[in-house]
Amino acid sequence: MQFDLVRRERASVRMAVLAPLLAIVATGAVAWLIFALLGRDAGYALWVLAVSPFTSWYDFSEVLLKTAPLLLVAQGLAIGFRARVFNIGAEGQLVLGAIFASAVPVYFPDATSPLLWPAMMLLGILGGALWAAIAAFWRTALNANEILVTLMLSLVATQLLNWLLLGPWKDPAGFNFPQSVMFQFEAMLPTLLPGTRVNISLIFAVVVSLAAFVLMQRSLTGYRLVVGGTAPKAAGYAGFSASHAVWLSLVLSGAAAGLAGAAEVAGPLGQLQRSVSQGYGFAAIIVAYLGGLHPIGIMVSSLLMAAIYIGGDNAMVSAQLPQAAVRVVQGLLLVFYLIAVTLVRYRVVRHRSVTP
């Protein structure tokens, strides 16, 4: 007996909207089972993971803080994914953005100009875009697979970060920890919500989301991006450049990731550290797909993923959940969403085998 997937003539819009909710419910059910097998109070652990981030102002403000980098990176990735350009190396582009931005306070520790943090943001954007441009060059010039190139560039970025923090940028007064000097006040992003750690990077993320919506939903450039990526031959007949789609997709996603990295070092960290990313580059892939690759959907899914981050931290303390269990929940969310979306777009057809 054999099963095939046959594309539906018309996918149900209602089921397409329900797919993320079904994925969340399925993830919750499997997570409950995993927590029970680990010997934890599964109901309490699930409550802490999913609900506790919204039960206090402090926890919710931390959710908003985590939302900013996830939203920035995911919006950039979604532009490429819709054009069939799969940038898996946002983690490295975020790290390069953080490095470029940190160069200003590291080399000018006594500078007090009010333009210090804006300059850091611009350098962060430049760093992420340049790192992604390397993959764009290899893809368009040599037809190299951008998935492998961006992924390997992430490893290179990590090693570059380690070299800087263990060598020339290491804080001499940092008790031998691999970190840069603490940045001065003028290098820090202004606080958005008094009494919390939420800074104006959240505004950056919202502005980038609106720009992504206009680009992909309301502009000819967005239309060319999608056509250039999904149907390069048709794009050629129409005068659209497939190479242009690759370059624009990768550079935009790299710039967004670079801005996220710059905002991290100029925000909650206040210095360049090894833990600058915390896996945002990979988690943003889940965020982008869970949001249906739509700018508005991504704003909702980034808030959900940020809540899982904060809920996971709470669960590790109060429910003794291992960090790996939280990562498994994040992965399950993507797997169940992809299954749900596949079943919305395709139907399973069974073929009976014919014996001779």
Side-chain angles (χ1 to χ4, degrees), residues 81-244:
F81 291 165
R82 291 189 66 180
R84 300 294 188 271
V85 178
F86 297 100
N87 176 11
I88 309 299
E91 191 84 357
Q93 292 143 26
L94 187 150
V95 169
L96 257 293
I99 291 174
F100 269 55
S102 300
V104 178
V106 166
Y107 288 114
F108 303 98
D110 299 323
T112 58
S113 170
L115 297 178
L116 206 57
W117 68 259
M120 293 171 63
M121 297 304 107
L122 291 176
L123 280 174
I125 292 171
L126 179 64
L130 287 176
W131 207 243
I134 297 174
F137 170 77
W138 283 98
R139 164 71 186 271
T140 55
L142 300 171
N143 199 29
N145 187 304
E146 77 274 11
I147 296 175
L148 294 177
V149 174
T150 53
L151 194 58
M152 288 189 290
L153 283 173
S154 289
L155 301 177
V156 176
T158 301
Q159 294 308 315
L160 178 61
L161 177 67
N162 288 335
W163 174 70
L164 287 171
L165 294 181
L166 293 170
W169 286 11
K170 184 177 181 180
D171 182 7
F175 302 101
N176 211 31
F177 285 103
Q179 58 192 23
S180 72
V181 295
M182 290 298 296
F183 299 163
Q184 60 268 46
F185 176 78
E186 290 77 9
M188 303 297 292
L189 290 176
T191 301
L192 181 63
L193 300 175
T196 71
R197 298 197 303 158
V198 181
N199 56 57
I200 62 170
S201 65
L202 188 61
I203 295 180
F204 298 161
V206 173
V207 170
V208 167
S209 299
L210 295 176
F213 178 81
V214 173
L215 174 68
M216 299 308 293
Q217 307 295 134
R218 297 287 186 272
S219 76
L220 179 61
T221 302
Y223 177 72
R224 286 178 171 177
L225 271 176
V226 175
V227 174
T230 55
K233 290 184 179 178
Y237 285 121
F240 303 162
S241 170
S243 297
H244 179 262

